[in-house]
Amino acid sequence: MAAAHVQSSGRQPISTGPSTAVAPPSMAGAQQAGRLKDAQLVVAVHNDAADFFRSDVKLVDVASGAIVGQLGGQSSAHTSAAAGLICLVPTGTSGSAVRVFNPATGGVTDIPAGPTAAQCGLNPQFSYVFAQVPATKEYKLLRIVTSKDYNNNLRHHTCDILTLGGLGQRWRPAPSPLVLLSTTIPRHRAVTAGLAHFLTATRTIGYDGIASFDLEKEEWRPSLLQGPLPSESRNCSHSSLSLVELNGCLAFVHHNYLSYCIDMWVLADLGKSTWFKIQSLHLGSILRGWEEPNKGQPVPLIPITRPMKEIFAQPLMMLDDGRIAFWVAFPNSSLRLYDPKTCRCEDVVDMGKACGIVGLYKGSQVGLA
């Protein structure tokens, strides 16, 4: 499959919001990286080992591994990025505003805090999706509050949405999904073409069911998107599945540990739930510690982690030369480039422990010109 180009959407100006006691962040180092205007970047969040809710946000050049910009010491439980902006969600549920940072201008917008946990039912969990609507160029923030029962089982979701720069920048009620969703695991959701996609959390309909929220219309699509897994695999372990925005397309990834491979599909037709398989990569070509299987030994559905054995790789983007960038998160976070011509991976940068990817950029989107 030829490598597609990452869509570089236009950026709506964003003004500095109300003043707060927290100093506006600044993207250190970005002004020195003019040569990276057309570089493909990932936005990585590295959590503080002593305080998990404090983190550094870093811009990493995929080809070289160079860190070209950094926001240090952010107090944020959720971080996401879209079309040149970075959204920082506070650790608390009251008293703190959501902050949206524009690394190209240094502008900061503060968004009113959401409801307190007491207003959201039992054991609430907050999840956020930050994205730009292609048709209008508006930035929107979707919040999904999930309540659980005393046994930690999912009960229901409530949703709110906010448009940056919109009417008073206030949260508005949004429809709730018709099924239970997997909202708290970042790799179980992805945004493409103005649609926020979520894997379902209901085993009875198969874990590869996908619910999609239309950010422009602010409503859920009336029917689920059926994933590409064959019927015998649809109730596999939820942890082995992920959704990815891959060069503008929705991609579905299955770590098939029984077959020692990583299968990847891209969505060809949303209405017909038609998928096109683009790769089936041997686990050992991406992850360390996966030797050829011993045909005489049974393989567990979920691998038992041993020292130096990696268990998960998230595809990030396809470069113009056909190489695929992967993010490996355990035991250490690292960025790797897979070359389909040689079927080998090259380590680009080791980011250490407690680090994750929250967005993808072109250098021109964040002022690296």
Side-chain angles (χ1 to χ4, degrees), residues 182 185 187-188 199-202 207 236-242:
S182 177
I185 300 176
R187 68 174 181 270
H188 286 174
L199 285 176
T200 62
T202 307
Y207 281 147
C236 63
S237 170
H238 216 193
S239 62
S240 66
L241 306 178
S242 60

Side-chain angles (χ1 to χ4, degrees), residues 114-308:
T116 63
Q119 295 173 290
C120 302
L122 186 66
N123 300 326
Q125 291 183 328
F126 293 77
S127 301
Y128 295 82
V129 173
F130 179 61
Q132 187 184 51
V133 179
T136 63
K137 305 304 181 187
E138 293 176 311
Y139 290 90
K140 293 189 177 183
L141 186 60
L142 173 67
R143 180 179 62 208
I144 301 179
V145 184
T146 303
S147 65
K148 295 187 175 184
D149 61 21
Y150 287 105
N151 296 318
N152 208 36
N153 297 314
L154 298 181
R155 292 183 60 196
H156 62 83
H157 305 289
T158 58
C159 301
D160 301 282
I161 196 164
L162 180 144
T163 302
L164 267 66
L167 196 60
Q169 266 189 176
R170 295 179 180 176
W171 293 98
R172 306 182 303 278
S176 297
L178 299 177
V179 296
L180 293 175
L181 309 177
S182 177
T183 59
T184 57
I185 300 176
R187 68 174 181 270
H188 286 174
R189 60 178 181 263
V191 179
T192 60
L195 293 173
H197 305 280
F198 300 84
L199 285 176
T200 62
T202 307
R203 188 181 182 90
T204 55
I205 60 176
Y207 281 147
D208 70 334
I210 302 168
S212 305
F213 184 83
D214 190 316
L215 290 161
E216 182 180 5
K217 297 178 180 178
E218 300 186 0
E219 62 185 23
W220 295 91
R221 294 188 71 247
S223 59
L224 291 179
L225 170 63
Q226 182 62 58
L229 290 178
S231 58
E232 64 272 14
S233 300
R234 284 184 182 146
N235 286 320
C236 63
S237 170
H238 216 193
S239 62
S240 66
L241 306 178
S242 60
L243 298 178
V244 181
E245 184 274 320
L246 194 62
N247 295 61
C249 300
L250 179 64
F252 187 100
V253 183
H254 177 213
H255 283 62
N256 190 340
Y257 299 107
L258 294 175
S259 299
Y260 274 63
C261 63
I262 301 175
D263 294 323
M264 298 168 53
W265 296 262
V266 294
L267 182 63
D269 189 304
L270 176 65
K272 297 180 180 179
S273 295
T274 304
W275 300 83
F276 176 70
K277 194 170 188 177
I278 58 170
Q279 294 286 351
S280 185
L281 307 176
H282 189 276
L283 283 172
S285 65
I286 309 295
L287 300 173
R288 310 299 184 219
W290 286 89
E291 61 280 352
E292 287 292 334
N294 183 342
K295 301 298 184 182
Q297 296 292 326
V299 180
L301 180 62
I302 303 176
I304 300 174
T305 304
R306 302 194 302 267
M308 304 305 294

Side-chain angles (χ1 to χ4, degrees), residues 36-99:
L36 295 170
K37 177 180 178 181
D38 295 322
Q40 291 169 300
L41 309 173
V42 296
V43 185
V45 174
H46 193 281
N47 294 104
D48 189 319
D51 183 354
F52 187 78
F53 291 114
R54 293 195 66 81
S55 58
D56 295 334
V57 182
K58 302 176 181 180
L59 301 183
V60 184
D61 176 29
V62 173
S64 68
I67 297 174
V68 301
Q70 179 169 313
L71 286 169
Q74 298 303 305
S75 178
S76 174
H78 304 269
T79 305
S80 54
L85 302 184
I86 297 173
C87 181
L88 307 168
V89 179
T91 55
T93 56
S94 62
S96 300
V98 176
R99 314 200 86 197

Side-chain angles (χ1 to χ4, degrees), residues 15-31:
S15 60
T16 302
S19 61
T20 67
V22 182
S26 60
M27 181 61 75
Q31 68 275 11

